[in-house]
Amino acid sequence: MSEPSPKYTPRPMSNTTTYALGGVAVVVIALVVLLVMRWSNDEADVRNDGYGMVRNPAVVSVLSPDGSVQLGRVDAANTVDIYEDPLCPACGVLESVYGQEIAQKVDEGALAVRYRFVNFLDSRSKSKNYSTRAVAATECVAESGSGPVYAKFHEMLFVTDQPEENKSDLTNQQLADLAREAGAGEDVVQCVASGAKVDAATANAKAALDQLNGLLDGKAATPSVYDGAARIDVNNENWVVDVTR
């Protein structure tokens, strides 16, 4: 079976939405539209299926002042940037299909990933602020420094426990429970449950969105993956291999 990939085409309904930012800027978000990109493994060939998530204790998570999270070994040969919204279905597809392949390359030191989170799908969550709260949760978990714990939490957010647009989301306590299940300590769990980083996450997500708009001529779309200044074509099923050569 040929492997589907996270490709998006604008549609007039829910998969293309116009957002007004600060009452001035308009961002068009194009999300997943192909039925073949649904979750089941019989519809999408998962790369390196069976490897699992990051397991090397030498892999660390580093929370930067701008809210980006770098996951990798300190001696990683290359770093890519991935822009994601926690509620974005196409981001979930990307992580579902390529997450295990990325994890293996991260464990080997061939790759590090710098996650840059945006929150333009807040309005499409039940609480109207889920994306922001989930970004805040990632900051809490990343700050602890454990790469395997962060990778597991990230997988839960985007693959196993990602809410559906316009239908559901997770409370702060549910996000905290996921952090605990991923192996985070109680200080991290309390950070997530209390929403301690929500204000910071709000500012950081806006900055990341501004940055992504700058890269994409004002039309931010997730997921977007960059190797330096070059945007990676994630329709190429071998993109992870290509960035680690």
Side-chain angles (χ1 to χ4, degrees):
M1 179 186 299
S2 62
E3 184 169 343
S5 54
K7 180 180 180 180
Y8 3 87
T9 303
R11 294 179 61 185
M13 300 300 288
S14 64
N15 285 336
T16 302
T17 305
T18 301
Y19 294 83
L21 299 178
V24 179
V26 175
V27 181
V28 178
I29 314 302
L31 295 177
V32 63
V33 298
L34 300 179
L35 293 178
V36 295
M37 292 169 56
R38 296 175 65 184
W39 292 94
S40 60
N41 288 348
D42 61 342
E43 293 175 317
D45 296 330
V46 176
R47 303 278 293 187
N48 292 30
D49 195 19
Y51 183 81
M53 287 298 100
V54 168
R55 64 186 69 162
N56 188 342
V59 175
V60 296
S61 60
V62 179
L63 176 63
S64 298
D66 66 358
S68 63
V69 177
Q70 183 156 326
L71 177 70
R73 286 169 34 177
V74 295
D75 60 349
N78 191 25
T79 302
V80 297
D81 291 275
I82 301 181
Y83 290 83
E84 296 179 318
D85 185 303
L87 197 60
C88 162
C91 299
V93 172
L94 181 79
E95 296 295 345
S96 180
V97 174
Y98 295 102
Q100 295 182 74
E101 185 175 25
I102 291 171
Q104 184 169 0
K105 295 299 183 183
V106 168
D107 277 343
E108 293 170 353
L111 185 67
V113 179
R114 186 182 298 110
Y115 293 102
R116 298 186 181 276
F117 296 104
V118 299
N119 62 351
F120 50 58
L121 293 178
D122 265 343
S123 65
R124 292 189 168 267
S125 64
K126 184 177 180 180
S127 64
K128 305 304 180 185
N129 66 354
Y130 171 74
S131 293
T132 298
R133 292 186 294 102
V135 172
T138 68
E139 294 187 11
C140 290
V141 176
E143 198 169 45
S144 70
S146 171
V149 170
Y150 180 81
K152 179 62 177 174
F153 183 69
H154 185 269
E155 183 212 17
M156 289 176 171
L157 280 186
F158 284 91
V159 181
T160 62
D161 294 87
Q162 187 184 50
E164 289 187 65
E165 255 186 300
N166 293 316
K167 291 185 178 180
S168 63
D169 62 21
L170 303 175
T171 66
N172 283 354
Q173 186 57 57
Q174 288 172 317
L175 288 167
D177 291 342
L178 292 185
R180 181 183 288 111
E181 186 178 344
E186 285 305 308
D187 56 335
V188 174
V189 172
Q190 289 305 312
C191 177
V192 177
S194 68
K197 292 189 177 293
V198 167
D199 288 345
T202 300
N204 292 335
K206 182 184 183 304
L209 182 59
D210 289 344
Q211 185 177 46
L212 186 57
N213 272 321
L215 292 169
L216 294 176
D217 297 324
K219 295 182 179 180
T222 58
S224 289
V225 184
Y226 283 84
D227 183 8
R231 191 179 186 191
I232 295 172
D233 179 10
V234 294
N235 294 316
N236 167 20
E237 64 182 23
N238 293 312
W239 71 266
V240 178
V241 174
D242 290 345
V243 298
T244 55
R245 285 176 177 165

